[in-house]
Amino acid sequence: MPSPIRSGNFSLVLSGGGALGFAHLGVLHDLERLGLVPGEIVGTSMGGIIGACMAIGMKESEIFEQIRAFSGVYNWIAFSLTGNAVIDTKKIAKIFDALFGERKMRDAAIPLKLIATDLLTGDKRLFDASDNVRIKDAVLATMAIPGVFDEHRIDGTVYGDGFLCENLGLTEARFDEVIAVDVLGKNAFRHEMPDHRLKTSNVLEMFEKSLRLLIYNQTRSHLRHSGRNIRLIEPDTKQYKTFSFHKTEAIRRLGLGLLEKAL
């Protein structure tokens, strides 16, 4: 029998999902409204960015304003003609400098865990309070989608996005009670094949659909083998693309009102 959710007795696990991760904000809004504070936050990719902001004490409204301020792609994208990725992360790094400063993982007000992937070995890397690592570096590592964003080096190791090994970090949750928000869950893809007039549109949609299914099946496997009491929240994100960064407010609304149903 699951225990009641109370402040401090549960892990909050936030998935990756690019712009779809803005739906996490709606859930954070409802957590604040109900006066619920997690005992720890586990985040991957966009879930890691939002989770890190919450962990240093930012309110949901503050996080929302920050994200809305730089959601226009030209505010944070710098295209790169060299290296292994399309986008240079220098502009993003400056934003994280302003948000997190020199805080280290151990300095978070709420214990924080961020998931990244060692790009040379494929091993999962969990950054937490035991690491002498700055939050901004761990965030740059967890969000580094290979080929899209620059990989990030920490102490000589090359890291990429945590979705490659665990998009919804259930196995890293410390508490038996878990609230998990999966923006790439069962409601993240259409149960039909693309049927656009242009073949290129069909191909691109098939590629994204395949990636979402791959991540969804990875998460389902973790859910099946978890012994924790998981309140799973899966916002209906299928009508948006992972790169719909200009849809901040609309995607945020997808997360509103789901928490109480899960509790």
Side-chain angles (χ1 to χ4, degrees):
M1 183 76 176
S3 300
I5 291 291
R6 302 186 307 275
S7 287
N9 85 328
F10 68 96
S11 298
L12 176 64
V13 181
L14 304 176
S15 77
L20 306 181
F22 297 158
H24 292 313
L25 295 170
V27 179
L28 263 58
H29 173 273
D30 290 345
L31 281 169
E32 287 182 15
R33 181 171 54 81
L34 296 175
L36 294 173
V37 179
E40 68 169 3
I41 300 169
V42 184
T44 301
S45 202
M46 182 58 79
I49 297 172
I50 291 174
C53 291
M54 183 184 188
I56 65 169
M58 292 177 67
K59 298 296 185 184
E60 186 271 334
S61 58
E62 297 173 301
I63 303 171
F64 174 62
E65 287 304 320
Q66 285 289 337
I67 287 178
R68 187 163 61 176
F70 68 75
S71 60
V73 293
Y74 293 109
N75 292 335
W76 55 270
I77 281 185
F79 291 101
S80 175
L81 298 177
T82 59
N84 302 318
V86 175
I87 298 172
D88 187 320
T89 54
K90 287 188 178 68
K91 285 186 177 180
I92 301 174
K94 287 182 179 178
I95 293 169
F96 292 158
D97 276 336
L99 283 176
F100 305 116
E102 294 301 306
R103 290 185 184 91
K104 295 190 175 181
M105 293 295 290
R106 61 173 175 263
D107 299 325
I110 300 172
L112 176 65
K113 296 175 179 176
L114 299 176
I115 296 172
T117 306
D118 185 323
L119 287 180
L120 299 185
T121 66
D123 293 335
K124 179 169 69 174
R125 175 65 156 92
L126 181 72
F127 294 102
D128 60 18
S130 67
D131 294 297
N132 188 34
V133 170
R134 295 178 301 187
I135 293 175
K136 62 186 178 185
D137 283 314
V139 169
L140 284 167
T142 189
M143 59 152 279
I145 303 171
V148 178
F149 295 112
D150 281 335
E151 63 272 11
H152 193 65
R153 290 180 180 268
I154 300 176
D155 297 331
T157 302
V158 184
Y159 293 106
D161 200 301
F163 87 83
L164 294 169
C165 50
E166 190 168 8
N167 194 58
L168 185 66
L170 297 170
T171 67
E172 302 301 341
R174 178 169 68 89
F175 292 89
D176 288 334
E177 307 303 323
V178 177
I179 294 176
V181 189
D182 188 7
V183 300
L184 285 175
K186 67 179 181 182
N187 298 320
F189 51 89
R190 298 182 185 278
H191 294 259
E192 58 189 25
M193 298 297 286
D195 187 24
H196 302 290
R197 184 168 298 177
L198 290 175
K199 182 175 181 178
T200 51
S201 298
N202 290 330
V203 170
L204 290 172
E205 188 170 323
M206 278 300 296
F207 179 77
E208 179 154 356
K209 181 184 181 75
S210 299
L211 189 59
R212 293 190 190 196
L213 286 169
L214 180 69
I215 293 170
Y216 173 58
N217 282 313
Q218 174 205 88
T219 298
R220 281 204 297 183
S221 178
H222 290 143
L223 283 165
R224 281 195 299 268
H225 294 95
S226 177
R228 293 177 173 82
N229 301 319
I230 300 171
R231 279 80 165 181
L232 183 61
I233 297 172
E234 297 173 291
D236 188 353
T237 57
K238 60 179 170 284
Q239 66 268 45
Y240 295 100
K241 304 295 185 185
T242 53
F243 50 82
S244 297
F245 291 100
H246 59 298
K247 300 286 189 178
T248 314
E249 295 184 50
I251 298 175
R252 173 186 175 269
R253 287 196 293 270
L254 300 177
L256 292 170
L258 302 181
L259 176 62
E260 287 170 288
K261 296 176 183 177
L263 297 179

